Amino acid sequence: MTLSEEDYIKAIYHLGKGNNTTVSTNAVAEKMDTKPSSVTDMVKKLSEKGVVNYKKYKGVSLTEYGQKLALTLVRKHRLWEVFLVEKLDFSWDEVHEVAEQLEHIKSEKLIDRLDKHLGFPQVDPHGDPIPSKKGEFKKAIKKLLNEVPIGISGICVGVKDSSGPFLKFLDKNKIALGDTITVLDKEEFDGSLHIQIQGRKIHISNQIATNLFLKITE
Amino acid sequence: MTLSEEDYIKAIYHLGKGNNTTVSTNAVAEKMDTKPSSVTDMVKKLSEKGVVNYKKYKGVSLTEYGQKLALTLVRKHRLWEVFLVEKLDFSWDEVHEVAEQLEHIKSEKLIDRLDKHLGFPQVDPHGDPIPSKKGEFKKAIKKLLNEVPIGISGICVGVKDSSGPFLKFLDKNKIALGDTITVLDKEEFDGSLHIQIQGRKIHISNQIATNLFLKITE
DNA sequence: ACAAATTTTTAGACAAAACTAAAAATTTGT
DNA sequence: ACAAATTTTTAGTTTTGTCTAAAAATTTGT
């Protein structure tokens, strides 16, 4: 696969939300920041190659083979993200662009060894699951912290309230995007939570918990 | 720079042996496994961009700017080779092809961080020096082990005699390509050598020493 | 020195991946 | 249902990097 073909495969995969939904030419064009006519051309080529199912005017979806290719790309992308954050101290939000380049490197051995070097991580720095070599992987869902059951862990991926005071609170309490949070216990009385965050145990109000998004892998 | 442009820059650099000698169109074509006419085209383009000096029929050399680009590529290539060998347990001879891809990744931060992660290595697994961020670096020379002065270290990069018995000897004595060897002392009498290899101290005959190549950085 | 051999360049084509403009198909609104 | 709006495709170009074949320049051998 060429670089460009791989980019289309990933776009179709992500637009289909991993469920392999049929997606429109226009949607792909927008995602890839290109023109619909270019998408039509490429999609025809990918169809010839057995990567996608394509019927004129009817949209495009990945074949079994195409899905396998997409999962390999996702696996490579997320492993490189882990590498950048864990080994090279990149921050949460700096990794995407570089991983976007690294995912195109062609060497199965490289990815296997990288996986091992990183200790076979299950999720990337954004909390998204990393497909196994065979393409198996768990789905991730985004939940508000107050809806997370006791005993479950997730990665902090966003805030609902992005006001100054709330962000200041998070900063003061050293709660940051990318942090791993486990719900230890809930108080029936006021809905407040006992959580473990990056190893520390703290107690937060229900109001805080309703404004933090966690990504959970099942 | 595009991928292809970068490959030409590297080819011109390596053909010029780092001394920025003028090289012929045919030589570049052979190195790049392409046709001379393609080289002419590309060289014109690189000349427009100020990367090379080019006079019709007179060959091509890198400009100051082109040399800087070449050294950056060499730096990236060699740092990735160190990474593959040191961190991912690739062997000496498996790294080139993968590094050839990795060297094109565009992110200054990535290379700086990688350099730090690897402990600012001075040479790659083949004993070749790694240019600094500013493009400074030492020259490496290849010498037979018996010609290496006392106190000097190098990396074992080849054998002169590749017969079965000699290779078996090396294997039995755990002398392998990529090993770091230091000359500790020489016996005047028989020209035999006391060396340190990968930490171990051993004594080898002059005959062995005249059949092993070391790469030395000055 | 000059004909032959070699090297290098030019000219014209091609494939990949993009674009623009226009045509065709589908969807939407009433 | 059918005209209007939207989406998608087609047709024809463009750019990048390559190629072949032929022409031009340089080098070599005697």
Side-chain angles (χ1 to χ4, degrees), chain A residues 32-49:
Chain A
M32 307 255 327
D33 198 25
T34 183
K35 302 291 166 181
S37 54
S38 307
V39 175
T40 302
D41 287 347
M42 179 56 88
V43 145
K44 277 181 181 170
K45 195 170 69 163
L46 290 176
S47 176
E48 296 274 302
K49 288 196 174 190

